[in-house]
Amino acid sequence: MAGYEYVSSEQLAGFDKYKYSAVDTNPLSLYVMHPFWNTIVKAFPTWLAPNLITFSGFLLVVFNFLLLAYFDPDFYASAPGHKHVPGWVWIVVGILNFVAYTLDGVDGKQARRTNSSTPLGELFDHGLDSWSCVYFVVTVYSIFGRGPSGVSVFVLYLLLWVVLFSFILSHWEKYNTGVLFLPWGYDISQVTISFVYIVTAIVGVEAWYEPFLFNFLYRDLFTTMIIGCALCVTLPMSLLNFYKSCKNNSLKHNSIYEALVPFFSPCLLFILSTAWILQSPSDILEMHPRVFYFMVGTAFANITCQLIVCQMSNTRCPTLNWLLVPLFLVVVVVNLGVASYIESMLLYTVTAAFTLAHIHYGVRVVKQLSSHFQIYPFSLRKPNSD
């Protein structure tokens, strides 16, 4: 298993023909962030590998997740009557979130600046972005948490899925059209949330207890913004881009079935994880919300990474992700009725297995593509220059 090759010879041949194609129409990105990133990237030394910038930003997102997992393990820290997260933590999280967002914006510019752009760099960037979704959403949850002034863990679970489907939608577009249409919601959410973290440090979480407008609470604003952005911006723009390609006869897949294949595994993951929640004898989501979110987000990241490999190599997306098989078996066992401690053990076991499997997948794919393109993933030196 250690030397297993996930990328087929057909896909490697497809990567050789790959040409990056993306469209960014977001005014915030075009007129504010890109000029800012163009300035920031000049401060980086030319020997710094773009993938190292990408990975550094991802580690900052993970650090924020772990930091708030320590101070708010069960999402009750922001509820009235509970010990709140210290103000300095919100400042650190806000700054690091913006730095991570900035690094995600300059890695590609550093690649073009150093003439080191490769398909591996794009895959590495978007692959880590797919895993960052769960870290980002769960970290934001600590602002409101659960309780009378917060959001229930099940509502947050549904909101997480709104974000996950919004993310995979752009890669589904590229799988069918060959063009990556960058979503507007990403830049807006990153800037807004970074600002909200800092504001929380200044005014305290108690400020979010008060109504935003009439009886409309800030938690309701938070929920409405996520759902509204997905339904009113992300989804309509994706369908419009798909329709334009269909009208221009430029779709890469002729049948509806083949066009929708990338959605099969994410939808099945949603069905299985939701079934587990609804059939859980010990109310598993209430007991271990953070672990459950992480399990779902990690499985989703693996599904998305395989889709990205396929759309970049112009190969068919797998119909079923194998990680769904053990999850299906766990759901069957849980549905038969198990003790609370056994169900908790099953959740932790599945989560650990998914995490190790996804890391193994990522490491092996990076090694395969590094060897294929004869590059070092975290250095600008060429192997034959040693």
Side-chain angles (χ1 to χ4, degrees), residues 296-313:
V296 170
T298 301
F300 170 85
N302 190 264
I303 292 170
T304 306
C305 284
Q306 293 191 33
L307 168 61
I308 296 172
V309 168
C310 292
Q311 50 104 328
M312 291 182 67
S313 61

Side-chain angles (χ1 to χ4, degrees), residues 359-371:
I359 292 175
H360 183 268
Y361 175 84
V363 170
R364 289 305 305 166
V365 169
V366 169
K367 284 188 175 181
Q368 268 192 271
L369 291 179
S370 297
S371 176

Side-chain angles (χ1 to χ4, degrees), residues 77-278:
S78 293
H82 289 74
K83 184 179 179 180
H84 298 325
V85 174
W88 67 266
V89 172
W90 294 119
I91 294 176
V92 169
V93 170
I95 292 174
L96 293 186
N97 188 81
F98 188 78
V99 171
Y101 167 57
T102 300
L103 294 178
D104 190 41
V106 303
D107 53 5
K109 296 182 182 297
Q110 176 74 349
R112 290 183 286 274
R113 178 174 174 242
T114 57
N115 196 29
S116 59
S117 298
T118 65
L120 172 60
E122 180 183 344
L123 175 62
F124 191 70
D125 184 5
H126 294 159
L128 289 180
D129 284 345
S130 68
W131 207 5
S132 295
C133 288
V134 65
Y135 293 112
F136 173 71
V137 173
V138 175
T139 301
V140 171
Y141 186 31
S142 287
I143 294 176
F144 303 97
R146 46 181 170 172
S149 61
V151 178
S152 73
V153 290
F154 185 71
V155 169
L156 196 279
Y157 166 77
L158 297 178
L159 293 178
L160 172 62
W161 269 109
V162 171
V163 173
L164 296 181
F165 271 113
S166 296
F167 181 88
I168 205 171
L169 204 56
S170 61
H171 291 286
W172 170 78
E173 282 182 73
K174 189 175 183 182
Y175 178 76
N176 284 286
T177 67
V179 180
L180 179 64
F181 297 92
L182 299 175
W184 283 28
Y186 173 69
D187 297 284
I188 296 172
S189 64
Q190 291 296 322
V191 173
T192 301
I193 291 301
S194 297
F195 177 73
V196 170
Y197 283 138
I198 302 298
V199 171
T200 302
I202 297 172
V203 302
V205 294
E206 295 86 356
W208 309 125
Y209 299 165
E210 301 300 322
F212 167 70
L213 183 66
F214 302 114
N215 292 323
F216 195 70
L217 301 177
Y218 281 99
R219 67 177 183 190
D220 304 319
L221 178 64
F222 167 70
T223 303
T224 302
M225 286 179 63
I226 293 178
I227 297 175
C229 183
L231 295 181
C232 300
V233 180
T234 304
L235 181 60
M237 291 182 69
S238 292
L239 294 178
L240 177 62
N241 293 329
F242 182 86
Y243 171 75
K244 287 180 179 178
S245 293
C246 182
K247 190 175 182 181
N248 297 332
N249 294 318
S250 59
L251 286 178
K252 300 172 72 175
H253 305 280
N254 296 324
S255 71
I256 295 296
Y257 175 83
E258 289 298 330
L260 295 178
V261 162
F263 286 133
F264 290 177
S265 286
C267 287
L268 187 54
L269 174 61
F270 172 74
I271 292 170
L272 290 175
S273 56
T274 305
W276 187 351
I277 293 171
L278 298 179

